[in-house]
Structure formats: C-alpha cells, structure tokens
Amino acid sequence: MQPETDEEENSKQHPLVFFDLETTGLGQDCEIIQLAAVSGGHSLNLYIIPRCRIQRGAARVTGFKVRGQRLYLHRQLVFTNSLKEVVVSFLTFLQMLGRPLLIGHNIRSFDCPLLARALDELDLRAEFQASVSGCVDTLPLARELLRDRRLQSFRQENLVRELLGINYKAHDALEDVRTLQTLYGFLQPTQDMVCRHKFTLDTMESKPAVPSSKSKIPLKLPGQRPLLEHFRQTGKETKRHDEVDPLQHEHI
C-alpha cells in the first residue's frame, strides 16, 4: 500500500479535535494543570498537580489552588492524574478518532510548545505525531477570515461575544474547547484556508503563511440567530483563550 502524499492528506476530511490547556502561568517554563479536548459529543477533561507553584495571577484567573498535595478548583477538590497518565489518555483519545486535526486558539505559540515539552519528557512525541493529521491555530485563522470586520481583539472570548452575541465563563479548559467547537462551526473556514494554517510540532516555530491582503478571501458566515438559538439551547458554554498581542501577553 502506497503512503499518502501531502496533497492527498490535505484533501481528506479529518475529524476535528478542539483542545486547550490551563497552566501555572504564562512562561514556557510553566506547567500543565488541566488538559481538555472535545470532538463532537466526545470529551476528555483531566487535571494534574503541577510540580511548580501556581502564579498568583494564574490562580486568580483560573481558580486553581494546590493545598497539601491536593488540587482545588474554585475551592472544590478535583481528581488528578500524573502527567504521563494525562498525556497517554490524550493520545488514546486522538487515536480513537483516527488521526484527527487538532484545533485550538493560540496553540501555535503557547499550548503546543508546552505539549511538545511534555511529550519529549515522556518520549511520546513520535506517537503524538502519528496520532494526528496536523494542528490548526484559530487565532491567525480568525485574523485572516475576519480581517474586514475591524475587530479590536481576536481573543476567543471577544470573538464569541462579537460573532455569537454571548458572554461566557472563560479560563476553564473544558468550557473553552466546547465554545471553540461552536465558534469554529460558525466561522466555517474553507479547506484551503485550513491547509494554509496547518502545522506540526516540528514546524510550529516557522512563521505561518498569510496570503496577500489584495487576495480575495470568501467570507461565508452563516446567519447568526439560528446558531445563537442552538447554542443557548445546548447550555451556556464558556470559553476563553487569549491571543498573544505584541503589547499584551495574555493566555491564562
């Protein structure tokens, strides 16, 4: 059986997995506290007791605290696993879906480098690379897709508010990915656009390709009201995910 070419791989419609991390801080030396992923009705939500102290700002925003080797979220004790158990469970989740496309907001500069560090620590990078068809960051994708909308911020919670007309509780990884899944369905990027923004852990440090501002990008946004009504019927989803702006470095 001949291996697929890059062109054949890009033309395939892979399942989509939306993922997010909550961490002890903003720097690349911070650690993972929560990993969540959703794909349709399938979800994964796991917690880790970090090996380093949670920064005060992160604790205030996320609600996480460690006391006596136990992890609390908004003063409620949560069940935790080791980093290895969480990463292996994530890989199993991805493999169950058959090499999905991994999607997240601002993951190219924040979440994926942290995930790559954990995978390297556990010697699982190759297994991860074989379990996904690639990664897509919705932050630059939204900037390209919505560049004529004159939005002041492309942070996920702002996009949800501007495009879906709702406010939601951010800074919880599970709520973040549930809301991103809804937002992505609203944006409906073309397959060509998704392919342009696709990257791997090995290529994530290279600058993403952005088409010329003169080129026309089809902007097919569905009607807002039907989606908004569906969104409200399925519950008040919540999300964040902060972009990294040159003048404002926010993630948690």
Side-chain angles (χ1 to χ4, degrees):
M1 186 175 178
Q2 293 291 329
E4 291 181 332
T5 64
D6 289 342
E7 185 175 348
E8 290 171 333
E9 176 71 16
N10 288 336
S11 67
K12 290 177 64 175
Q13 291 288 342
H14 293 277
L16 306 179
V17 170
F18 299 85
F19 105 108
D20 183 38
L21 303 176
E22 296 298 340
T23 63
T24 58
L26 293 173
Q28 288 300 316
D29 58 345
C30 67
E31 295 197 357
I32 300 169
I33 306 176
Q34 181 187 14
L35 184 153
V38 298
S39 180
H42 301 287
S43 64
L44 179 74
N45 184 36
L46 298 169
Y47 300 94
I48 305 164
I49 296 177
R51 294 167 294 188
C52 66
R53 185 175 180 178
I54 302 176
Q55 294 177 10
R56 184 175 300 178
R60 183 177 63 252
V61 169
T62 64
F64 284 112
K65 285 188 178 180
V66 176
R67 292 178 181 171
Q69 287 302 301
R70 291 185 176 184
L71 182 66
Y72 294 83
L73 176 58
H74 302 299
R75 299 183 180 180
Q76 297 294 315
L77 181 66
V78 294
F79 181 78
T80 59
N81 296 93
S82 68
L83 176 64
K84 183 174 183 178
E85 288 169 336
V86 168
V87 171
V88 169
S89 295
F90 184 44
L91 292 175
T92 301
F93 183 82
L94 296 172
Q95 291 161 359
M96 174 188 74
L97 295 165
R99 300 194 73 244
L101 189 63
L102 193 62
I103 299 173
H105 203 71
N106 194 35
I107 60 172
R108 188 166 190 155
S109 63
F110 191 81
D111 302 72
C112 280
L114 291 179
L115 177 63
R117 193 183 73 194
L119 290 166
D120 289 340
E121 178 181 331
L122 299 168
D123 197 22
L124 290 172
R125 180 189 278 243
E127 186 171 347
F128 170 82
Q129 298 279 53
S131 302
V132 297
S133 62
C135 306
V136 171
D137 190 334
T138 54
L139 174 56
L141 188 148
R143 281 175 171 157
E144 177 184 344
L145 185 61
L146 303 171
R147 63 187 180 191
D148 293 330
R149 297 285 289 251
R150 302 183 185 279
L151 297 176
Q152 292 185 347
S153 170
F154 285 88
R155 292 169 58 180
Q156 184 175 312
E157 54 264 53
N158 186 66
L159 293 175
V160 169
R161 181 172 57 251
E162 293 288 335
L163 301 178
L164 303 182
I166 62 171
N167 292 302
Y168 76 99
K169 177 183 122 184
H171 307 289
D172 177 281
L174 183 59
E175 298 301 333
D176 287 348
V177 291
R178 284 173 172 167
T179 306
L180 183 60
Q181 181 171 243
T182 302
L183 179 63
Y184 190 87
F186 179 84
L187 292 173
Q188 295 184 351
T190 65
Q191 186 68 14
D192 286 345
M193 188 178 296
V194 171
C195 289
R196 275 201 306 276
H197 288 273
K198 193 172 175 182
F199 66 94
T200 69
L201 297 187
D202 295 331
T203 64
M204 63 185 171
E205 293 183 3
S206 60
K207 189 174 181 180
V210 178
S212 168
S213 59
K214 296 180 181 179
S215 62
K216 296 287 185 179
I217 300 175
L219 183 59
K220 293 177 62 180
L221 296 183
Q224 209 165 305
R225 186 166 298 278
L227 179 64
L228 183 55
E229 290 174 352
H230 170 74
F231 191 85
R232 284 173 174 159
Q233 287 171 0
T234 55
K236 292 184 179 180
E237 312 282 15
T238 57
K239 162 63 190 156
R240 130 237 152 199
H241 225 125
D242 307 342
E243 63 186 279
V244 176
D245 281 333
L247 300 179
Q248 183 180 14
H249 186 178
E250 286 186 283
H251 182 86
I252 56 174

